[in-house]
Amino acid sequence: MSATPTHRAIAVMALVPTLVALALWAFAWPAARTAPRDLPIGVAGPASAVTQVEQRLEQRPDAFEVHRYTDEAAAREAIEDRVVYGAVVVTPQGPQLLTASAASPVVAGLLREAVTAQAPAGEPVKVTDVVAAPAGDPRGSGLASSILPLALAGVAAGVMVTVLGLRGSRAALALTGAAALVGLTAAALTHSWLGLLSGNWWAEAGVLGLTVLAIAGAVAGFAALLGTRGIAVGSLLMVLIGNPFSGAASAPELLPDPAGMIGQWLPPGAGAQLLRSVSYFGGNGAGGAVLTLSLWAALGLAAVLAGGRSAQPATASQESQRPVPAPVG
């Protein structure tokens, strides 16, 4: 039985507020609850002095995950390897704070405020930015803003492949080609023109392309498995959940649980982390994000290829059932 106009009107009135509520929850909730949660930070220096620093940091329960290092050089190496976001180094001249604004300008500012507030009165804190954000994007807002366009590009590619009726290997080839071209275009804009990125150009293009491929493959894969409903599932998952939960504007450890963890399992969050690692840290700390994006891309393309093969027997069966025209004469 087809829905009447009245039923359709009621469905619209119920669906729109539901989507608005979901969008507000997904975008506003993490932003309103931003705070450090097991944020990795290092401490280095004499054992007795380091213990005092740890005790001050632990006054905020579950805020920091403290790593001990023998000296400043070890702490710097940990920051460059993306093990910690920053480190407090205790020296005879007073405490020194090492930060990495390239990892997250928000975290760098938060650490500066926290360490300065906990320092003894009248004792200045020297701050050194070990891995600074590029001059073209000192606040990190440009990189954070680039994640949503990548998600939209991936969704658009997945939707277009589905709507245009591409199946199997043709669909996989179209998704891969579109993602590669988006990666090259995005690298030209973000690196060459805007100066948001400062690493190896081709590596950045590869990261941008892989991020788009993971999202596009997911959307097209859901569509191949679920039909047109899969487009809605994939789009909502990547844009409505993946983008605000990515932590690109701050850091995953600043988002409320379990948003930060979920965001890193989705392509937008993994793409943001991988782009930072490749562009600013020479690829350090990239392993988990590469694995996440590769799995989404591989599984999505596998679903697309499987959907194409399952459609072929059905088409062949329909062809065989067509009546054979009677001979003329």
Side-chain angles (χ1 to χ4, degrees), residues 22 38 73 206 305 307 316:
L22 180 60
D38 293 325
L305 292 171

Side-chain angles (χ1 to χ4, degrees), residues 28-309:
W29 171 58
R33 297 292 184 269
T34 298
R37 294 171 176 84
D38 293 325
L39 185 72
I41 181 175
V43 292
S48 59
V50 164
T51 301
Q52 295 178 3
V53 173
E54 286 183 338
Q55 291 174 348
R56 296 194 193 103
L57 293 173
E58 290 171 355
Q59 291 176 358
R60 301 176 62 178
D62 301 323
F64 300 105
E65 178 186 286
V66 180
H67 298 245
R68 280 199 180 199
Y69 299 101
T70 55
D71 52 25
E72 179 181 345
R76 283 177 175 267
E77 184 177 357
I79 293 172
E80 293 169 351
D81 289 342
R82 301 207 71 185
V83 177
V84 295
Y85 282 92
V88 181
V89 181
V90 181
T91 68
Q93 293 75 30
Q96 178 183 1
L97 175 63
L98 306 178
T99 64
S101 59
S104 171
V106 175
V107 171
L110 184 151
L111 293 178
R112 188 181 299 109
E113 294 176 2
V115 174
T116 301
Q118 294 176 4
E123 189 171 340
V125 177
K126 179 184 177 182
V127 180
T128 302
D129 200 348
V130 177
V131 185
D137 190 23
R139 296 180 179 85
S141 55
L143 185 145
S145 299
S146 66
I147 300 304
L148 179 57
L150 294 178
L152 294 176
V155 169
V159 170
M160 290 179 66
V161 162
T162 303
V163 171
L164 293 176
L166 298 177
R167 298 290 183 269
S169 58
R170 287 189 179 88
L173 180 61
L175 292 172
T176 304
L181 291 176
V182 169
L184 295 173
T185 303
L189 292 173
T190 57
H191 183 119
S192 304
W193 180 40
L194 298 175
L196 306 181
L197 307 177
S198 58
N200 179 274
W201 195 95
W202 289 102
E204 293 165 354
V207 171
L208 294 164
L210 180 59
T211 302
V212 173
L213 181 60
I215 296 170
V219 173
F222 279 122
L225 297 175
L226 305 176
T228 54
R229 292 175 298 177
I231 294 177
V233 172
S235 301
L236 291 175
L237 184 62
M238 295 300 153
V239 177
L240 201 58
I241 302 299
N243 187 65
F245 285 15
S246 68
S250 54
E253 294 84 358
L254 298 185
L255 301 183
D257 295 329
M261 178 179 62
I262 293 173
Q264 297 310 295
W265 291 345
L266 296 174
Q273 289 300 311
L274 182 56
L275 192 57
R276 288 188 186 278
S277 291
V278 168
S279 181
Y280 310 139
F281 293 87
N284 293 330
V290 170
L291 178 61
T292 299
L293 292 175
S294 299
L295 284 174
W296 276 101
L299 292 175
L301 292 178
V304 169
L305 292 171
R309 285 194 295 268

